[in-house]
Amino acid sequence: MRTSIGGVSVQATILLATFALEPRRYKAIYYSLQGKQTISNLFASHEYGLLDQFHLYPKLKWNDYQAALSQLEKEKLVIIDQTRAEAKLTSAGLVRQTGLLAQGFWPTAYRYWQMGPAEEQWERLLLAVQVVSNYQHQIVHYQPLTEHLLIQRQVKAWLKKIGTAGGQNFVLELGLALAQLPEQAALIIANSFWSDYDAGIPGPTLAQALSLTPAELQLAQFNSLGLLLSLIRRETLRYPILQQLLPMPQTPLNRSADWTYHQVLTGKSWSAIVTDSRLKEGTLREHLLQAALLCPDFSIEAPAVQQLLKADPESFFSQRVQEIITARSSRTGGEQTQ
């Protein structure tokens, strides 16, 4: 079965990557993939190991998601508990999931909070290649690969900033970067520049060569893009033009949460932050929980955080912060997060 997810026809089995043998709240997974940023959804994403894939399918429709789950249940790949609103893999579902993930299409290298929306970054890269290529071949009239007006304006501003010589350097930088990526990632990105497109869906040639469906290929492209973004972020001086084209968020937090966390980092007391913000304390605590979840270097030793932890060690806030820090420390071999 195929249904529409994120504007792309996708087989229901792709959703197997988001489930496990233990029951998971399927609505939480839906809201995570769609990008609904609430504390509840963020914690569910964290618990399920899906935090990096948050906002993976921003156009996902609830009816399409339900139809996909029903198909998975019909094929005996998942068991759905309607009363508890949970779903879990069957043994057959686990086998199918393992086989799918072995194909390497699931975007494990893409980190939404550090890299921004994958779909927008991808469209920005494709449009830049199209525009620079057409300019070099003196092609004036053509249909842009994206109808996203903001991305069109961003690429136009980028071209104006880098100038004619910058276009040549962009090609050189991109070639150098692709040469440093794993072979399949470089192949996926490079071939996408020349694939035939129909309503934004990659053509079948590369997908067939990799034994992927068009929907799986799109996720493989995002994974390859994540590897590219990680590379240009590590080697800043070698890829200045690519970094200008593909900027990454300065913070994973929204404006309000970023303000709160910045106040914490300045060393202010909790009472001072509450007074200055004029927000409810519960809202401010949620801001700090977001920071604990999304900022790898969350400062648990900050005075305001320590004040909250010591004031009520058994509170929801204190328990969740400690859980996050403990989980993060275990993933980094016990390295203390500060």
Side-chain angles (χ1 to χ4, degrees):
M1 173 187 175
R2 296 190 178 186
T3 184
S4 178
I5 291 184
V8 174
S9 177
V10 60
Q11 73 277 13
T13 46
I14 275 186
L15 294 180
L16 289 173
T18 66
F19 290 98
L21 291 175
E22 299 75 26
R24 291 181 172 182
R25 292 182 291 121
Y26 54 77
K27 281 189 177 180
I29 292 176
Y30 165 72
Y31 287 129
S32 178
L33 294 175
Q34 191 190 52
K36 187 175 182 180
Q37 191 172 338
T38 64
I39 284 296
S40 175
N41 291 330
L42 291 177
F43 270 111
S45 300
H46 172 72
E47 178 185 352
Y48 300 155
L50 298 174
L51 204 53
D52 288 339
Q53 285 79 50
F54 191 86
H55 197 268
L56 186 60
Y57 290 119
K59 300 174 185 176
L60 177 57
K61 305 294 186 188
W62 172 243
N63 288 341
D64 293 332
Y65 181 76
Q66 284 184 303
L69 286 184
S70 296
Q71 182 65 22
L72 294 177
E73 184 180 39
K74 182 179 179 180
E75 295 180 9
K76 301 186 185 307
L77 298 175
V78 300
I79 297 173
I80 298 177
D81 184 337
Q82 297 289 359
T83 302
R84 301 175 64 88
E86 293 177 338
K88 64 179 182 179
L89 293 175
T90 63
S91 56
L94 179 62
V95 171
R96 183 76 69 86
Q97 181 197 70
T98 302
L100 286 170
L101 295 182
Q103 294 177 268
F105 67 82
W106 189 249
T108 55
Y110 201 95
R111 302 174 183 85
Y112 169 78
W113 303 103
Q114 285 75 44
M115 299 175 178
E119 192 174 57
E120 293 181 14
Q121 291 282 45
W122 183 252
E123 289 183 2
R124 199 174 287 115
L125 176 61
L126 292 187
L127 182 60
V129 170
Q130 180 191 32
V131 172
V132 170
S133 176
N134 285 341
Y135 179 81
Q136 291 179 342
H137 291 86
Q138 299 181 339
I139 299 175
V140 179
H141 302 290
Y142 55 90
Q143 180 66 35
L145 286 176
T146 177
E147 297 179 357
H148 198 304
L149 295 180
L150 177 59
I151 290 177
Q152 290 182 9
R153 289 197 293 268
Q154 289 171 341
V155 172
K156 184 177 180 180
W158 169 78
L159 284 169
K160 184 177 181 180
K161 184 175 182 179
I162 66 174
T164 304
Q168 295 282 357
N169 291 333
F170 165 65
V171 175
L172 294 174
E173 280 189 19
L174 186 56
L176 177 62
L178 292 180
Q180 291 188 267
L181 293 181
E183 183 178 355
Q184 179 163 306
L187 176 69
I188 288 174
I189 293 177
N191 274 268
S192 298
F193 300 145
W194 294 282
S195 293
D196 293 328
Y197 278 73
D198 180 14
I201 301 175
T205 305
L206 180 59
Q208 290 177 349
L210 297 175
S211 299
L212 300 175
T213 67
E216 291 167 352
L217 176 59
Q218 184 189 53
L219 295 183
Q221 289 169 334
F222 290 167
N223 189 61
S224 301
L225 179 61
L227 293 171
L228 175 65
L229 290 173
S230 295
L231 172 66
I232 65 177
R233 190 177 190 180
R234 287 196 309 269
E235 302 184 25
T236 307
L237 298 179
R238 300 185 72 177
Y239 304 107
I241 293 176
L242 275 172
Q243 288 201 48
Q244 293 177 51
L245 172 67
L246 304 171
M248 287 178 266
Q250 294 183 344
T251 173
L253 305 175
N254 59 41
R255 182 178 298 180
S256 183
D258 185 55
W259 180 90
T260 302
Y261 187 47
H262 178 73
Q263 302 307 302
V264 167
L265 293 178
T266 62
K268 282 186 177 181
S269 67
W270 179 247
S271 58
I273 294 173
V274 172
T275 300
D276 292 345
S277 71
R278 298 181 181 179
L279 295 174
K280 294 180 179 179
E281 287 194 52
T283 300
L284 296 174
R285 288 192 185 91
E286 287 193 357
H287 290 168
L288 292 190
L289 286 174
Q290 287 185 42
L293 281 166
L294 305 179
C295 299
D297 56 351
F298 177 73
S299 181
I300 193 173
E301 299 299 332
V305 177
Q306 285 296 309
Q307 183 180 347
L308 287 171
L309 294 177
K310 293 175 181 178
D312 189 355
E314 302 303 319
S315 68
F316 176 84
F317 173 85
S318 297
Q319 293 295 314
R320 297 294 84 74
V321 168
Q322 294 293 354
E323 288 174 7
I324 294 167
I325 298 303
T326 299
R328 185 169 294 149
S329 296
S330 66
R331 289 196 301 269
T332 57
E335 180 181 352
Q336 186 176 4
T337 302
Q338 297 190 8

